[in-house]
Amino acid sequence: MGITDYLDAGDVAAALAQCKAADSFSFKQFCATSGLAKKSSDTVNKIFNIIDEDGSGYIEAKELKFFLQNFSSDARELGDSEIKTVLSAMGMSDDGKMNATEFQKLVSA
């Protein structure tokens, strides 16, 4: 299953449109617009597992780069400054990792 199996396609499209320009990504805004912030813990964990492409149990900076492409294959990559902003929201360094619990907190913040 893909992320769009859990979220409304129109909401995802609206969220992607809001951050189409470089350096315009806001994790909090994206989660709100896409409907991710309103999903149950179980659904957020399922989405976490999709984003955790290597199955390590963590979303790492290299996986955050392609965060938007998990929602649509033609979406842009996140820039380094956007990745740093997401990682710092969890108090992590540039080479940090985000586990499912941290992802859940960030999504619902």
Side-chain angles (χ1 to χ4, degrees):
M1 294 185 89
I3 290 175
T4 53
D5 292 321
Y6 301 105
L7 301 173
D8 178 77
D11 292 343
V12 170
L16 290 170
Q18 288 178 335
C19 59
K20 195 169 188 168
D23 294 322
S24 64
F25 179 73
S26 163
F27 191 85
K28 184 176 182 174
Q29 182 178 13
F30 185 86
C31 290
T33 303
S34 70
L36 181 58
K38 296 178 184 176
K39 294 299 178 181
S40 69
S41 295
D42 182 56
T43 299
V44 172
N45 282 332
K46 289 176 182 174
I47 291 171
F48 172 88
N49 289 328
I50 293 168
I51 297 167
D52 175 21
E53 294 176 359
D54 63 6
S56 67
Y58 296 94
I59 297 173
E60 300 162 283
K62 65 183 179 184
E63 291 166 322
L64 279 176
K65 181 175 186 104
F66 305 107
F67 178 81
L68 296 176
Q69 293 172 349
N70 286 290
F71 293 83
S72 176
S73 60
D74 62 348
R76 70 179 181 88
E77 294 177 0
L78 291 182
D80 291 341
S81 64
E82 293 168 313
I83 293 168
K84 287 178 184 180
T85 299
V86 174
L87 291 174
S88 68
M90 290 306 303
M92 298 181 296
S93 63
D94 296 307
D95 62 350
K97 299 176 182 180
M98 184 184 319
N99 66 31
T101 302
E102 293 166 330
F103 183 72
Q104 182 76 239
K105 287 178 186 176
L106 189 58
V107 165
S108 62

